[in-house]
Amino acid sequence: MSIITRLFYGLKCDICGHEDEDWYDTPEECRRDCEHVDWLHLCDGRDVCSDCITIDHNGNYVTKDGGVYDYETLRLINVK
C-alpha cells in the first residue's frame, strides 16, 4: 500500500463561506466550471456564490456585503 498526496482546487465564497462541492485538478478548470453554475469571480479577486448576489434596478450585481459591481466588467462601482 502506498500513500499519495493529491492537490485539488475548489471555490469558497468570500462572503458567506459556502464551498463548491466539486474538486478540480487545476485552478483554470475550477473557475471555468464554476462560472457555469452562477459563481462570479470579481475583478477585485473575490469569488462569490449565487446566494450572495442579486441584480439591482440598473442591471448591476449587488453582493450581500454591499458591493455594487458592473454587470459587464465585474468591476466595483459603488459600496452601499
Side-chain angles (χ1 to χ4, degrees):
M1 179 164 112
S2 298
I3 297 174
I4 62 170
T5 301
R6 292 208 52 196
L7 178 65
F8 292 96
Y9 297 88
L11 284 181
K12 181 176 182 179
C13 180
D14 288 314
I15 295 174
C16 73
H18 171 75
E19 292 185 20
D20 179 49
E21 296 177 3
D22 296 317
W23 294 94
Y24 304 93
D25 292 326
T26 66
E28 297 79 18
E29 179 186 18
C30 179
R31 290 223 191 280
R32 184 178 55 247
D33 192 53
C34 289
E35 286 174 354
H36 297 292
V37 290
D38 299 326
W39 281 77
L40 288 180
H41 178 66
L42 303 171
C43 283
D44 57 7
R46 299 186 322 148
D47 293 297
V48 182
C49 72
S50 60
D51 291 338
C52 292
I53 303 165
T54 58
I55 297 179
D56 69 9
H57 63 282
N58 292 322
N60 296 311
Y61 290 112
V62 179
T63 58
K64 278 188 177 178
D65 64 354
V68 180
Y69 293 81
D70 180 75
Y71 184 84
E72 296 290 326
T73 65
L74 302 179
R75 293 190 185 281
L76 181 66
I77 56 176
N78 194 10
V79 178
K80 289 185 174 183

Coordinates of all heavy atoms in Angstrom, one line a residue:
M1 N 0.8 -1.2 0.0 CA 0.0 0.0 0.0 C 0.9 1.2 0.0 O 1.9 1.3 0.7 CB -0.9 0.0 1.2 CG -1.8 1.2 1.3 SD -3.1 0.9 2.5 CE -2.7 2.1 3.7
S2 N 0.5 2.2 -0.8 CA 1.3 3.5 -0.9 C 0.4 4.6 -0.5 O -0.8 4.6 -0.8 CB 1.8 3.7 -2.3 OG 2.6 2.7 -2.7
I3 N 1.0 5.6 0.1 CA 0.2 6.8 0.5 C 0.7 7.9 -0.5 O 1.9 8.1 -0.7 CB 0.5 7.3 1.9 CG1 0.0 6.2 2.9 CG2 -0.1 8.6 2.2 CD1 0.4 6.5 4.3
I4 N -0.3 8.5 -1.1 CA 0.0 9.6 -2.1 C -0.7 10.9 -1.6 O -1.6 10.9 -0.9 CB -0.5 9.2 -3.5 CG1 -2.0 9.0 -3.6 CG2 0.2 8.0 -4.0 CD1 -2.6 8.9 -4.9
T5 N -0.2 12.0 -2.1 CA -0.7 13.3 -1.8 C -1.2 13.9 -3.2 O -0.5 13.8 -4.1 CB 0.3 14.2 -1.2 OG1 0.8 13.7 0.0 CG2 -0.2 15.6 -1.0
R6 N -2.5 14.3 -3.2 CA -3.0 15.0 -4.4 C -3.5 16.3 -4.0 O -4.1 16.6 -2.9 CB -4.2 14.1 -4.9 CG -3.7 12.8 -5.4 CD -4.5 12.2 -6.5 NE -4.7 13.1 -7.6 CZ -5.6 12.9 -8.5 NH1 -6.4 11.9 -8.5 NH2 -5.8 13.8 -9.5
L7 N -3.3 17.3 -4.9 CA -3.7 18.6 -4.7 C -4.9 18.9 -5.6 O -4.9 18.6 -6.8 CB -2.6 19.6 -5.1 CG -2.9 21.1 -5.0 CD1 -3.2 21.5 -3.6 CD2 -1.8 21.9 -5.6
F8 N -6.0 19.4 -5.0 CA -7.2 19.7 -5.7 C -7.6 21.1 -5.4 O -7.2 21.7 -4.5 CB -8.4 18.8 -5.2 CG -8.2 17.4 -5.5 CD1 -7.7 16.5 -4.6 CD2 -8.6 16.9 -6.8 CE1 -7.6 15.1 -4.9 CE2 -8.5 15.6 -7.1 CZ -8.0 14.7 -6.2
Y9 N -8.4 21.7 -6.3 CA -8.8 23.1 -6.2 C -10.4 23.1 -6.1 O -11.1 22.3 -6.7 CB -8.4 23.9 -7.5 CG -6.9 24.0 -7.6 CD1 -6.2 23.0 -8.2 CD2 -6.2 25.0 -6.9 CE1 -4.8 23.1 -8.3 CE2 -4.8 25.1 -7.0 CZ -4.1 24.1 -7.7 OH -2.8 24.2 -7.8
G10 N -10.9 24.1 -5.4 CA -12.3 24.3 -5.2 C -12.5 25.8 -4.9 O -11.6 26.5 -4.6
L11 N -13.8 26.2 -4.9 CA -14.1 27.6 -4.6 C -14.8 27.7 -3.2 O -15.6 26.8 -2.9 CB -15.0 28.2 -5.7 CG -14.3 28.6 -7.0 CD1 -15.4 29.2 -7.9 CD2 -13.2 29.6 -6.8
K12 N -14.5 28.8 -2.6 CA -15.2 29.1 -1.3 C -15.6 30.6 -1.4 O -14.8 31.4 -1.8 CB -14.2 29.0 -0.1 CG -14.8 29.3 1.2 CD -13.9 29.0 2.3 CE -14.5 29.2 3.7 NZ -13.5 28.9 4.8
C13 N -16.9 30.8 -1.2 CA -17.5 32.2 -1.3 C -16.8 33.1 -0.3 O -16.7 32.7 0.9 CB -19.0 32.1 -1.0 SG -19.7 33.8 -1.2
D14 N -16.3 34.2 -0.7 CA -15.7 35.2 0.1 C -16.6 36.0 1.0 O -16.2 36.8 1.8 CB -14.8 36.1 -0.7 CG -13.6 35.4 -1.3 OD1 -12.9 34.7 -0.5 OD2 -13.3 35.6 -2.5
I15 N -17.9 35.8 0.8 CA -18.9 36.5 1.7 C -19.5 35.5 2.7 O -19.4 35.8 3.9 CB -20.0 37.1 0.8 CG1 -19.4 38.2 -0.1 CG2 -21.1 37.7 1.7 CD1 -20.3 38.8 -1.1
C16 N -20.1 34.4 2.3 CA -20.8 33.5 3.2 C -20.0 32.3 3.6 O -20.4 31.6 4.5 CB -22.1 33.1 2.7 SG -22.1 31.9 1.3
G17 N -18.9 32.0 2.9 CA -18.1 30.8 3.2 C -18.6 29.5 2.5 O -18.0 28.5 2.7
H18 N -19.6 29.6 1.7 CA -20.1 28.4 1.0 C -19.0 27.8 0.2 O -18.3 28.6 -0.5 CB -21.4 28.7 0.2 CG -21.8 27.6 -0.7 ND1 -22.4 26.5 -0.3 CD2 -21.6 27.5 -2.1 CE1 -22.7 25.7 -1.3 NE2 -22.2 26.3 -2.4
E19 N -18.9 26.5 0.2 CA -17.8 25.9 -0.7 C -18.5 25.1 -1.8 O -19.5 24.4 -1.6 CB -17.0 24.9 0.2 CG -16.1 25.7 1.2 CD -15.2 24.7 1.9 OE1 -14.9 23.6 1.4 OE2 -14.7 25.2 3.0
D20 N -17.9 25.2 -3.0 CA -18.3 24.4 -4.1 C -18.1 22.9 -3.8 O -17.1 22.5 -3.2 CB -17.5 24.8 -5.4 CG -17.9 24.0 -6.6 OD1 -19.0 23.9 -6.9 OD2 -16.9 23.4 -7.2
E21 N -19.0 22.1 -4.2 CA -19.0 20.7 -3.8 C -18.0 19.8 -4.7 O -17.7 18.7 -4.4 CB -20.4 20.1 -3.9 CG -21.3 20.7 -2.9 CD -22.7 20.2 -3.0 OE1 -23.0 19.3 -3.8 OE2 -23.6 20.7 -2.3
D22 N -17.6 20.4 -5.8 CA -16.7 19.7 -6.7 C -15.3 20.1 -6.5 O -15.0 21.2 -6.0 CB -17.1 19.9 -8.2 CG -18.5 19.4 -8.5 OD1 -18.8 18.3 -8.1 OD2 -19.2 20.1 -9.2
W23 N -14.3 19.2 -6.8 CA -12.9 19.5 -6.7 C -12.3 19.3 -8.1 O -12.7 18.5 -8.9 CB -12.2 18.5 -5.8 CG -12.7 18.7 -4.4 CD1 -13.7 18.1 -3.7 CD2 -12.2 19.7 -3.5 NE1 -13.9 18.6 -2.5 CE2 -13.0 19.6 -2.3 CE3 -11.2 20.7 -3.5 CZ2 -12.8 20.4 -1.2 CZ3 -11.0 21.5 -2.4 CH2 -11.8 21.3 -1.2
Y24 N -11.3 20.2 -8.4 CA -10.7 20.2 -9.8 C -9.2 20.1 -9.7 O -8.6 20.4 -8.7 CB -11.1 21.6 -10.4 CG -12.6 21.8 -10.5 CD1 -13.2 22.5 -9.4 CD2 -13.4 21.2 -11.5 CE1 -14.6 22.6 -9.4 CE2 -14.7 21.4 -11.5 CZ -15.4 22.1 -10.5 OH -16.7 22.3 -10.5
D25 N -8.6 19.6 -10.8 CA -7.2 19.4 -10.9 C -6.4 20.7 -11.1 O -5.2 20.8 -10.8 CB -6.9 18.4 -12.0 CG -7.4 17.0 -11.7 OD1 -7.4 16.6 -10.5 OD2 -7.8 16.3 -12.6
T26 N -7.0 21.7 -11.7 CA -6.3 23.0 -12.0 C -7.2 24.1 -11.6 O -8.4 24.0 -11.6 CB -5.9 23.1 -13.5 OG1 -7.1 23.3 -14.2 CG2 -5.1 22.0 -14.0
P27 N -6.6 25.3 -11.2 CA -7.4 26.5 -10.9 C -8.3 26.9 -12.1 O -9.4 27.3 -12.0 CB -6.4 27.5 -10.5 CG -5.1 26.8 -10.2 CD -5.2 25.5 -11.0
E28 N -7.7 26.8 -13.3 CA -8.4 27.2 -14.5 C -9.7 26.4 -14.7 O -10.7 26.9 -15.1 CB -7.5 27.1 -15.7 CG -6.3 28.1 -15.7 CD -5.2 27.5 -14.8 OE1 -5.1 26.3 -14.5 OE2 -4.3 28.4 -14.4
E29 N -9.6 25.1 -14.5 CA -10.7 24.2 -14.7 C -11.8 24.5 -13.6 O -13.0 24.5 -13.9 CB -10.2 22.7 -14.5 CG -11.3 21.7 -14.6 CD -10.9 20.3 -14.3 OE1 -9.8 20.1 -13.7 OE2 -11.6 19.4 -14.7
C30 N -11.3 24.8 -12.4 CA -12.3 25.1 -11.4 C -13.1 26.4 -11.7 O -14.3 26.4 -11.6 CB -11.5 25.4 -10.1 SG -12.5 25.8 -8.7
R31 N -12.4 27.5 -12.1 CA -13.1 28.7 -12.4 C -14.0 28.5 -13.6 O -15.1 29.0 -13.6 CB -12.1 29.8 -12.8 CG -11.3 30.3 -11.6 CD -11.2 31.8 -11.6 NE -10.2 32.2 -10.6 CZ -10.5 32.3 -9.3 NH1 -11.7 32.0 -8.9 NH2 -9.6 32.6 -8.4
R32 N -13.5 27.9 -14.7 CA -14.3 27.7 -15.9 C -15.6 26.9 -15.5 O -16.7 27.3 -16.0 CB -13.5 26.9 -16.9 CG -14.2 26.8 -18.3 CD -13.3 26.1 -19.3 NE -12.8 24.8 -18.8 CZ -11.5 24.5 -18.6 NH1 -10.6 25.4 -18.7 NH2 -11.2 23.3 -18.1
D33 N -15.5 25.9 -14.8 CA -16.7 25.1 -14.4 C -17.6 25.8 -13.5 O -18.9 25.8 -13.7 CB -16.3 23.7 -13.8 CG -17.5 22.8 -13.7 OD1 -18.1 22.5 -14.8 OD2 -17.7 22.3 -12.6
C34 N -17.1 26.5 -12.5 CA -17.9 27.2 -11.5 C -18.7 28.4 -12.1 O -19.7 28.8 -11.7 CB -17.1 27.6 -10.3 SG -16.6 26.2 -9.3
E35 N -18.1 29.0 -13.2 CA -18.8 30.1 -13.8 C -20.1 29.7 -14.4 O -21.1 30.4 -14.6 CB -17.9 30.8 -14.9 CG -16.8 31.6 -14.3 CD -15.9 32.1 -15.4 OE1 -16.0 31.7 -16.6 OE2 -15.0 32.9 -15.0
H36 N -20.2 28.4 -14.8 CA -21.4 27.9 -15.4 C -22.5 27.6 -14.4 O -23.7 27.4 -14.7 CB -21.1 26.6 -16.2 CG -20.2 26.8 -17.3 ND1 -20.6 27.5 -18.4 CD2 -18.9 26.4 -17.5 CE1 -19.6 27.6 -19.3 NE2 -18.6 26.9 -18.7
V37 N -22.2 27.6 -13.1 CA -23.2 27.4 -12.0 C -23.3 28.7 -11.2 O -23.6 28.6 -10.0 CB -22.8 26.2 -11.2 CG1 -23.0 24.9 -12.0 CG2 -21.4 26.3 -10.6
D38 N -23.2 29.8 -11.8 CA -23.5 31.1 -11.2 C -22.6 31.6 -10.1 O -23.0 32.3 -9.2 CB -25.0 31.1 -10.6 CG -26.0 30.9 -11.7 OD1 -25.8 31.3 -12.8 OD2 -27.0 30.2 -11.4
W39 N -21.4 31.2 -10.1 CA -20.3 31.8 -9.3 C -19.8 33.0 -10.1 O -19.7 33.0 -11.3 CB -19.2 30.9 -9.0 CG -19.5 29.9 -7.9 CD1 -20.2 28.7 -8.1 CD2 -19.0 29.9 -6.6 NE1 -20.2 28.0 -6.9 CE2 -19.5 28.7 -6.0 CE3 -18.2 30.8 -5.9 CZ2 -19.2 28.4 -4.6 CZ3 -17.9 30.5 -4.6 CH2 -18.4 29.3 -3.9
L40 N -19.4 34.1 -9.4 CA -18.8 35.2 -10.0 C -17.4 35.3 -9.5 O -17.1 35.3 -8.2 CB -19.5 36.5 -9.7 CG -20.8 36.7 -10.4 CD1 -21.4 38.1 -10.0 CD2 -20.7 36.7 -11.9
H41 N -16.4 35.5 -10.4 CA -15.0 35.9 -10.0 C -14.9 37.4 -10.3 O -14.8 37.8 -11.4 CB -14.0 35.1 -10.7 CG -12.6 35.4 -10.4 ND1 -12.1 35.2 -9.1 CD2 -11.6 36.0 -11.1 CE1 -10.8 35.6 -9.1 NE2 -10.6 36.2 -10.3
L42 N -15.0 38.2 -9.2 CA -15.0 39.6 -9.4 C -13.6 40.2 -9.7 O -12.6 39.5 -9.3 CB -15.6 40.3 -8.1 CG -17.0 39.8 -7.8 CD1 -17.4 40.3 -6.4 CD2 -18.0 40.2 -8.8
C43 N -13.5 41.4 -10.3 CA -12.3 41.9 -10.6 C -11.4 42.2 -9.4 O -10.2 42.4 -9.6 CB -12.5 43.2 -11.5 SG -13.0 42.8 -13.2
D44 N -11.9 42.3 -8.3 CA -11.1 42.6 -7.1 C -10.6 41.3 -6.5 O -10.0 41.2 -5.4 CB -11.9 43.4 -6.0 CG -13.2 42.7 -5.6 OD1 -13.5 41.6 -5.9 OD2 -13.9 43.4 -4.8
G45 N -10.8 40.2 -7.2 CA -10.2 38.9 -6.8 C -11.1 38.0 -6.0 O -10.7 36.9 -5.6
R46 N -12.3 38.5 -5.6 CA -13.1 37.7 -4.8 C -14.0 36.8 -5.6 O -14.4 37.1 -6.7 CB -14.0 38.6 -3.9 CG -13.2 39.5 -3.0 CD -14.0 40.4 -2.1 NE -15.3 40.9 -2.6 CZ -16.4 41.1 -1.9 NH1 -16.4 40.8 -0.6 NH2 -17.4 41.6 -2.4
D47 N -14.3 35.6 -5.0 CA -15.3 34.7 -5.6 C -16.5 34.7 -4.8 O -16.5 34.6 -3.5 CB -14.7 33.3 -5.6 CG -13.5 33.2 -6.5 OD1 -13.6 33.3 -7.7 OD2 -12.4 32.9 -6.0
V48 N -17.7 34.8 -5.5 CA -19.0 35.0 -4.8 C -20.0 34.0 -5.3 O -20.1 33.9 -6.6 CB -19.5 36.4 -4.9 CG1 -20.8 36.6 -4.2 CG2 -18.4 37.4 -4.4
C49 N -20.7 33.3 -4.4 CA -21.7 32.3 -4.9 C -23.0 33.0 -5.2 O -23.2 34.2 -4.9 CB -21.9 31.3 -3.8 SG -22.8 31.8 -2.3
S50 N -23.8 32.3 -5.9 CA -25.1 32.8 -6.4 C -26.0 33.3 -5.2 O -26.9 34.1 -5.4 CB -25.8 31.9 -7.3 OG -26.1 30.7 -6.6
D51 N -25.9 32.7 -4.0 CA -26.7 33.1 -2.9 C -26.4 34.4 -2.4 O -27.2 35.1 -1.7 CB -26.6 32.0 -1.7 CG -27.2 30.7 -2.1 OD1 -28.1 30.6 -3.0 OD2 -26.8 29.7 -1.4
C52 N -25.2 34.9 -2.7 CA -24.8 36.3 -2.2 C -24.8 37.3 -3.3 O -24.3 38.4 -3.1 CB -23.3 36.1 -1.7 SG -23.2 35.1 -0.2
I53 N -25.5 37.1 -4.4 CA -25.6 38.0 -5.5 C -27.1 38.3 -5.9 O -27.9 37.4 -5.9 CB -24.9 37.5 -6.7 CG1 -23.5 37.1 -6.4 CG2 -25.0 38.5 -7.9 CD1 -22.8 36.2 -7.5
T54 N -27.4 39.6 -6.1 CA -28.6 40.0 -6.7 C -28.3 41.0 -7.8 O -27.2 41.4 -7.9 CB -29.6 40.6 -5.7 OG1 -29.0 41.8 -5.1 CG2 -30.0 39.7 -4.6
I55 N -29.3 41.3 -8.6 CA -29.2 42.3 -9.6 C -30.1 43.4 -9.3 O -31.3 43.3 -9.0 CB -29.5 41.7 -11.0 CG1 -28.5 40.6 -11.3 CG2 -29.4 42.8 -12.1 CD1 -28.7 39.9 -12.6
D56 N -29.5 44.7 -9.3 CA -30.3 45.8 -8.9 C -31.1 46.4 -10.1 O -31.0 45.8 -11.2 CB -29.4 46.9 -8.3 CG -28.4 47.6 -9.3 OD1 -28.5 47.3 -10.5 OD2 -27.6 48.3 -8.8
H57 N -31.8 47.5 -9.9 CA -32.7 48.0 -10.9 C -31.9 48.6 -12.1 O -32.4 48.9 -13.2 CB -33.6 49.1 -10.3 CG -32.9 50.3 -9.8 ND1 -32.3 50.2 -8.5 CD2 -32.6 51.5 -10.2 CE1 -31.7 51.4 -8.3 NE2 -31.9 52.2 -9.3
N58 N -30.6 48.8 -11.9 CA -29.7 49.3 -13.0 C -29.0 48.2 -13.8 O -28.3 48.4 -14.7 CB -28.6 50.3 -12.5 CG -29.2 51.5 -12.0 OD1 -30.1 52.1 -12.5 ND2 -28.7 52.0 -10.8
G59 N -29.3 46.9 -13.4 CA -28.7 45.8 -14.0 C -27.3 45.4 -13.5 O -26.6 44.7 -14.2
N60 N -26.9 46.0 -12.4 CA -25.6 45.7 -11.8 C -25.7 44.6 -10.8 O -26.8 44.4 -10.2 CB -25.0 47.0 -11.2 CG -24.7 48.1 -12.2 OD1 -24.2 47.8 -13.2 ND2 -25.2 49.3 -11.9
Y61 N -24.6 43.9 -10.5 CA -24.6 42.9 -9.5 C -24.4 43.6 -8.1 O -23.6 44.5 -8.0 CB -23.4 41.9 -9.6 CG -23.5 41.0 -10.8 CD1 -22.7 41.1 -11.9 CD2 -24.5 40.0 -10.8 CE1 -22.8 40.2 -13.0 CE2 -24.6 39.1 -11.9 CZ -23.8 39.2 -12.9 OH -23.9 38.4 -14.0
V62 N -25.2 43.1 -7.1 CA -25.1 43.6 -5.8 C -24.8 42.4 -4.9 O -25.5 41.4 -4.9 CB -26.4 44.3 -5.3 CG1 -26.2 44.8 -3.9 CG2 -26.7 45.5 -6.2
T63 N -23.7 42.5 -4.1 CA -23.3 41.4 -3.2 C -23.9 41.7 -1.8 O -24.2 42.8 -1.5 CB -21.8 41.3 -3.1 OG1 -21.2 42.5 -2.6 CG2 -21.2 40.9 -4.4
K64 N -24.1 40.6 -1.1 CA -24.7 40.7 0.3 C -23.9 41.6 1.2 O -24.5 42.2 2.2 CB -24.8 39.4 0.9 CG -26.0 38.6 0.5 CD -26.2 37.3 1.3 CE -27.4 36.6 0.9 NZ -27.6 35.3 1.6
D65 N -22.6 41.8 0.9 CA -21.9 42.7 1.8 C -21.9 44.2 1.3 O -21.1 45.0 1.8 CB -20.4 42.2 2.0 CG -19.6 42.2 0.7 OD1 -20.2 42.4 -0.4 OD2 -18.4 41.8 0.8
G66 N -22.7 44.5 0.3 CA -22.9 45.9 -0.1 C -22.2 46.3 -1.3 O -22.3 47.5 -1.7
G67 N -21.4 45.5 -1.9 CA -20.6 45.9 -3.1 C -21.6 46.0 -4.3 O -22.4 45.1 -4.5
V68 N -21.4 46.9 -5.2 CA -22.1 47.0 -6.4 C -21.1 46.9 -7.5 O -20.1 47.7 -7.6 CB -22.9 48.4 -6.5 CG1 -23.7 48.4 -7.8 CG2 -23.8 48.5 -5.3
Y69 N -21.3 45.9 -8.4 CA -20.4 45.6 -9.5 C -21.0 45.8 -10.9 O -22.2 45.3 -11.0 CB -19.8 44.2 -9.3 CG -19.0 44.0 -8.1 CD1 -19.6 43.9 -6.8 CD2 -17.6 44.1 -8.2 CE1 -18.8 43.7 -5.7 CE2 -16.8 43.9 -7.0 CZ -17.4 43.8 -5.8 OH -16.6 43.6 -4.7
D70 N -20.3 46.3 -11.8 CA -20.8 46.5 -13.2 C -21.1 45.1 -13.7 O -20.2 44.2 -13.6 CB -19.7 47.2 -14.0 CG -20.1 47.3 -15.4 OD1 -21.0 48.2 -15.7 OD2 -19.6 46.6 -16.3
Y71 N -22.2 44.9 -14.4 CA -22.6 43.7 -14.9 C -21.7 43.1 -16.0 O -21.4 41.9 -16.1 CB -24.1 43.8 -15.5 CG -24.6 42.5 -16.0 CD1 -25.2 41.6 -15.1 CD2 -24.5 42.1 -17.3 CE1 -25.8 40.4 -15.6 CE2 -25.1 40.9 -17.8 CZ -25.7 40.1 -16.9 OH -26.2 38.9 -17.3
E72 N -21.1 44.0 -16.8 CA -20.3 43.6 -17.9 C -18.9 43.3 -17.5 O -18.3 42.3 -17.9 CB -20.3 44.7 -19.0 CG -21.6 44.9 -19.7 CD -22.0 43.7 -20.6 OE1 -21.2 43.1 -21.2 OE2 -23.3 43.5 -20.6
T73 N -18.3 44.2 -16.7 CA -16.8 44.1 -16.4 C -16.6 43.5 -15.0 O -15.4 43.1 -14.8 CB -16.2 45.5 -16.4 OG1 -16.8 46.3 -15.3 CG2 -16.4 46.2 -17.7
L74 N -17.6 43.4 -14.2 CA -17.5 42.8 -12.8 C -16.5 43.7 -12.0 O -16.0 43.2 -11.0 CB -17.0 41.4 -12.8 CG -17.9 40.4 -13.6 CD1 -17.3 39.0 -13.5 CD2 -19.3 40.4 -13.0
R75 N -16.4 45.0 -12.3 CA -15.6 45.9 -11.5 C -16.5 46.6 -10.5 O -17.6 46.9 -10.7 CB -14.9 47.0 -12.4 CG -13.9 46.4 -13.3 CD -13.1 47.5 -14.0 NE -12.2 47.0 -15.0 CZ -11.0 46.4 -14.7 NH1 -10.7 46.3 -13.5 NH2 -10.3 46.0 -15.7
L76 N -15.9 46.8 -9.3 CA -16.6 47.5 -8.2 C -16.9 48.9 -8.7 O -16.0 49.7 -9.1 CB -15.7 47.5 -7.0 CG -16.3 48.2 -5.7 CD1 -17.6 47.4 -5.2 CD2 -15.3 48.3 -4.6
I77 N -18.2 49.4 -8.6 CA -18.5 50.7 -8.9 C -19.1 51.5 -7.8 O -19.2 52.7 -7.8 CB -19.5 50.8 -10.1 CG1 -20.8 49.9 -9.8 CG2 -18.9 50.3 -11.4 CD1 -21.8 50.0 -10.9
N78 N -19.5 50.8 -6.7 CA -20.0 51.5 -5.5 C -20.1 50.6 -4.3 O -20.2 49.4 -4.5 CB -21.4 52.0 -5.9 CG -21.9 53.0 -4.9 OD1 -21.2 53.5 -4.0 ND2 -23.2 53.3 -5.0
V79 N -20.0 51.1 -3.2 CA -20.2 50.4 -1.9 C -21.4 51.0 -1.2 O -21.4 52.2 -0.9 CB -19.0 50.4 -1.1 CG1 -19.2 49.6 0.2 CG2 -17.8 49.8 -1.8
K80 N -22.4 50.2 -0.9 CA -23.6 50.7 -0.2 C -23.3 50.8 1.3 O -22.6 50.1 1.9 CB -24.8 49.8 -0.4 CG -25.3 49.9 -1.8 CD -26.5 49.0 -1.9 CE -27.1 49.2 -3.3 NZ -28.4 48.5 -3.5

